[in-house]
């Protein structure tokens, strides 16, 4: 696949979907964002496409059901190729939304479609709102010194585009981490270098978050996020760094480069 390829991106209007679309379009593909409105007749929205990249809504209450709906619509529309956006470490029994990704991966693998699964780590980009403030600040409700394979959306998009356009990736599952394992403290230090001003790092606990900002959320979302932050508190979220260079042909961007592109 390549020029003239038409790829629908379920969740294509969110930040992940936009990053995937940017990379696909740079490679000559046509992209079609698919969101809530298109679910009125999802098969019609997908018909005529060559592939689907499937990003479920964050913390969806029933991701396997959502994925099943998309898979059924793909079969009805005659679209045989799917890229599924999962998560690094999907089988973590203490994190319900990760377990939902694991169950959804199983549905994709047994769908009868040509599939590729990406398992990205958390994004460096998630920290940008606090770093764009007049007084730059990072606030996390877990240990700021735990290891993460934080990846940039630009790198994730590049990987997604390559695997969707090259049939040699059918049947593959790839972890997508950044250049190296880093900590939230590393992000704060890199942001300070890039911005040239002090970046405040505020660290609280998962329980403090649940009793404070988390108390305003829907109870299910609060509980799921509390479980995630508790896991991060103990273990971080390490993720391998080999996928970006292996698939894109260059190293993943380092923290300074990612932050400079976004903040300067």
């Amino acid at each position: 696949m390549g020029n003239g390829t038409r790829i629908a991106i379920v969740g294509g209007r969110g930040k992940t979907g936009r990053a995937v679309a940017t990379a696909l379009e740079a490679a000559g593909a046509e992209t079609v964002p698919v969101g809530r409105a298109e679910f009125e007749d999802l098969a019609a929205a997908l018909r005529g496409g060559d592939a689907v990249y499937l990003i479920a809504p964050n913390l969806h209450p029933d991701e396997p059901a959502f994925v099943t709906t998309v898979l059924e619509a793909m079969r009805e529309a005659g679209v045989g190729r799917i890229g599924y956006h999962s998560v690094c470490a999907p089988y973590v029994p203490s994190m319900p939304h990760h377990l939902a990704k694991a169950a959804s991966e199983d549905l994709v693998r047994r769908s009868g479609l040509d599939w590729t699964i990406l398992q990205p780590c958390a994004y460096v980009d998630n920290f940008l709102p606090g770093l764009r403030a007049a007084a730059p600040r990072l606030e996390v409700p877990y240990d700021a010194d735990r290891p993460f394979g934080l990846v940039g959306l630009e790198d994730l998009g590049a990987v997604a585009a390559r695997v969707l356009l090259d049939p040699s990736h059918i049947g593959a599952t790839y972890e997508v981490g950044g250049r190296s394992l880093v900590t939230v403290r590393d992000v704060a230090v890199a942001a300070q270098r890039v911005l040239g001003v002090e970046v405040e790092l505020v660290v609280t606990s998962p329980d403090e978050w649940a009793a404070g900002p988390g108390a305003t959320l829907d109870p299910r979302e609060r509980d799921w996020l509390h479980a995630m932050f508790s896991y991060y508190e103990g273990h971080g979220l390490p993720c391998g760094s080999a996928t970006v260079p292996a698939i894109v042909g260059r190293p993943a961007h380092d923290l300074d480069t990612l932050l400079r592109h976004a903040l300067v």
Side-chain angles (χ1 to χ4, degrees):
M1 290 195 282
N3 287 347
T5 302
R6 185 174 185 266
I7 297 179
I9 304 175
V10 176
R13 296 183 180 94
K15 64 184 179 183
T16 302
R18 292 194 303 271
V20 173
T22 296
L24 282 167
E25 289 162 7
E30 176 190 358
T31 64
V32 180
V34 175
R36 189 174 303 167
E38 287 77 18
F39 270 67
E40 296 294 323
D41 190 348
L42 185 55
L46 302 181
R47 193 166 289 118
D50 297 289
V52 169
Y53 191 70
L54 170 53
I55 309 161
N58 195 31
L59 297 176
H60 192 283
D62 191 349
E63 184 156 342
F66 182 88
V67 169
T68 295
T69 296
V70 176
L71 295 174
E72 290 174 349
M74 288 180 65
R75 285 188 283 265
E76 183 181 343
V79 181
R81 178 79 171 95
I82 183 169
Y84 173 56
H85 186 89
S86 183
V87 69
C88 177
Y91 184 73
V92 177
S94 65
M95 287 199 280
H97 68 297
H98 276 230
L99 282 183
K101 297 283 191 188
S104 297
E105 286 190 12
D106 175 60
L107 293 170
V108 170
R109 290 189 177 96
R110 294 188 292 108
S111 66
L113 304 173
D114 291 336
W115 54 265
T116 306
I117 294 169
L118 297 187
Q119 298 175 328
C121 195
Y123 307 144
V124 175
D125 309 65
N126 293 343
F127 297 106
L128 294 178
L131 295 175
R132 287 178 172 142
R137 168 187 175 100
L138 287 181
E139 183 171 1
V140 292
Y142 50 85
D143 190 338
D145 295 303
R146 294 297 185 191
F148 287 79
L150 297 175
V151 66
L153 273 170
E154 181 181 340
D155 290 328
L156 171 67
V159 170
R162 291 291 181 98
V163 303
L164 286 167
L165 297 173
D166 181 347
S168 70
H169 299 290
I170 292 170
T173 301
Y174 298 118
E175 275 196 354
V176 188
R179 179 176 291 201
S180 61
L181 296 182
V182 296
T183 67
V184 174
R185 193 176 306 277
D186 292 331
V187 177
V189 170
Q192 195 156 296
R193 281 195 300 267
V194 167
L195 293 170
V197 298
E198 183 179 352
V199 173
E200 183 183 11
L201 176 60
V202 179
V203 180
T204 58
S205 72
D207 289 347
E208 288 172 310
W209 173 86
T216 63
L217 297 177
D218 168 84
R220 176 190 61 82
E221 292 189 2
R222 181 193 62 233
D223 291 347
W224 285 16
L225 287 170
H226 181 264
M228 181 181 77
F229 295 146
S230 297
Y231 186 88
Y232 289 178
E233 173 84 2
H235 312 287
L237 193 65
C239 188
S241 62
T243 295
V244 175
I247 291 178
V248 181
R250 59 160 176 80
H253 295 311
D254 60 23
L255 284 177
D256 288 59
T257 301
L258 289 167
L259 293 172
R260 192 175 298 112
H261 285 175
L263 298 173
V264 178

